Amino acid sequence: MDQAQITQVRRFNRTVTERVGVLHDRYLGGERPIGEARLLWEIGEREQDVRGLRERLGLDSGYLSRLLRSLEADGLVTVAPLSADRRVRTVRLTAAGRAERALLDARGDELAGSLLRPLNAAQRERLVTAMAEVDRLLTASTVTLDAVDPGHPDARHCLHSYFTELQQLFDTGFDPARSLLPDAGELRPPHGLFLVARTQGEPVGCAGLKLPPGAPAEIKRMWVAPHARGLGLARRFLTELEERAARHGRDTLRLDTNKALAPALGLYRSHGFREVPAFNDEPYAHHWFEKRIDARPSP
């Protein structure tokens, strides 16, 4: 990794922490540090699952518990087990908590205004545009790719969302029963694998890889949630699956797709896939692609 890039990231971090006031133990002039203030804001108006909060904020469970105890002692939140499953803890703002959150929101607006006010109109536009780009890229850096069982709830969620989208996009609709869907066993080791992309604990994409014996590896069911598009996840899936296929000793990677998926067609071509004659009888496919890769079997 480029040392100059690392230096610039660290300089940016120092500037941001100074300008937004996180160096002070009383964030935005309130009575509490930024960790507690951010947690109040994140809980919001609805009851929240404590585990979900921890995953979304990337906090250690012990640290989150200390934050919640402090807020609870100040009468700002109530923490209780979920009635349907007492193993699950939930947290809700009290009236005092909602009032403090509203105050934090108002002061947050004031802080944002103080960052923009000294700049002219063109500079403000540049700063806001740059912030949006940084936010998008930092979000992309939080995404993890994990191999899971195809029966995992996150995998089922992604596949259901994918099939629902295809139903709307395809001229003929989409019926999973007619498609050459891989059996779950074909996407489990050693016959294949299934990846799920997550950001802040939320599943936002999936992709499967079939590894049939004596045949090319095949990518199946690659999907990215609409709100996560533009983060480079599809290209990241392709790169990861190509690497895993190579490690399994495969020198060819295949996939098929529908003519309605124009962005996917462009992606595959730009990633080095070339169109080939049909290699299966998938009724929803109009295009078949293949890419030669460097087999690198694991020792």
Side-chain angles (χ1 to χ4, degrees):
M1 196 172 299
D2 191 315
Q3 184 59 44
Q5 292 178 330
I6 292 175
T7 300
Q8 180 57 53
V9 168
R10 295 186 61 187
R11 182 182 298 119
F12 175 83
N13 289 345
R14 291 193 295 272
T15 300
V16 170
T17 53
E18 178 184 348
R19 292 294 285 126
V20 303
V22 300
L23 302 179
H24 306 290
D25 58 359
R26 295 188 174 192
Y27 183 60
L28 293 176
E31 296 300 317
R32 58 198 73 260
I34 189 172
E36 293 181 11
R38 173 60 192 277
L39 190 55
L40 274 180
W41 187 88
E42 198 70 34
I43 293 169
E45 297 300 319
R46 296 181 299 168
E47 185 177 62
Q48 297 282 347
D49 180 331
V50 171
R51 183 175 60 181
L53 277 174
R54 179 175 61 80
E55 292 179 348
R56 192 155 68 245
L57 295 174
L59 297 178
D60 172 82
S61 58
Y63 178 57
L64 177 59
S65 293
R66 291 194 294 274
L67 292 178
L68 289 174
R69 282 197 299 270
S70 178
L71 294 175
E72 193 172 26
D74 288 344
L76 302 181
V77 303
T78 57
V79 181
L82 186 67
S83 57
D85 185 349
R86 298 188 66 81
R87 295 171 300 177
V88 177
R89 291 193 306 153
T90 62
V91 58
R92 181 188 294 274
L93 294 183
T94 63
R98 289 193 294 274
E100 183 158 335
R101 185 180 186 274
L103 179 62
L104 287 169
D105 257 346
R107 289 179 175 174
D109 285 348
E110 291 173 8
L111 174 61
S114 75
L115 297 177
L116 295 170
R117 200 170 296 115
L119 306 177
N120 61 41
Q123 289 175 321
R124 292 175 187 172
E125 186 62 32
R126 285 172 57 199
L127 178 59
V128 171
T129 299
M131 284 179 166
E133 177 70 359
V134 169
D135 179 63
R136 186 181 69 84
L137 293 173
L138 287 178
T139 299
S141 75
T142 69
V143 177
T144 60
L145 299 186
D146 301 302
V148 305
D149 188 272
H152 189 283
D154 287 352
R156 294 202 304 269
H157 165 80
C158 289
L159 288 173
H160 174 74
S161 301
Y162 177 50
F163 297 157
T164 299
E165 185 171 347
L166 295 187
Q167 171 66 28
Q168 299 167 350
L169 287 174
F170 290 179
D171 294 340
T172 59
F174 180 77
D175 179 4
R178 289 190 60 224
S179 178
L180 296 181
L181 285 170
D183 178 84
E186 295 179 275
L187 298 178
R188 291 187 179 112
H191 308 296
L193 58 94
F194 195 80
L195 299 179
V196 167
R198 298 184 180 96
T199 179
Q200 297 179 322
E202 176 194 2
V204 293
C206 65
L209 182 69
K210 288 176 60 176
L211 296 165
E218 188 174 349
I219 294 174
K220 304 296 292 185
R221 306 314 174 209
M222 191 172 78
W223 172 80
V224 175
H227 69 276
R229 290 170 192 170
L231 300 179
L233 296 190
R235 193 171 295 277
R236 186 172 166 190
F237 270 131
L238 290 178
T239 300
E240 180 69 17
L241 293 176
E242 180 178 327
E243 174 64 26
R244 289 182 180 243
R247 291 205 305 262
H248 280 84
R250 307 308 164 93
D251 61 8
T252 304
L253 191 57
R254 287 176 169 176
L255 57 86
D256 60 69
T257 193
N258 186 280
K259 64 182 180 181
L261 304 177
L265 290 168
L267 171 67
Y268 300 145
R269 292 184 175 113
S270 69
H271 201 75
F273 284 86
R274 62 182 182 87
E275 197 153 358
V276 297
F279 51 76
N280 61 25
D281 297 322
E282 171 59 61
Y284 293 106
H286 300 101
H287 301 273
W288 290 259
F289 288 92
E290 188 174 279
K291 180 179 181 179
R292 300 289 294 179
I293 61 178
D294 294 326
R296 296 184 298 277
S298 298

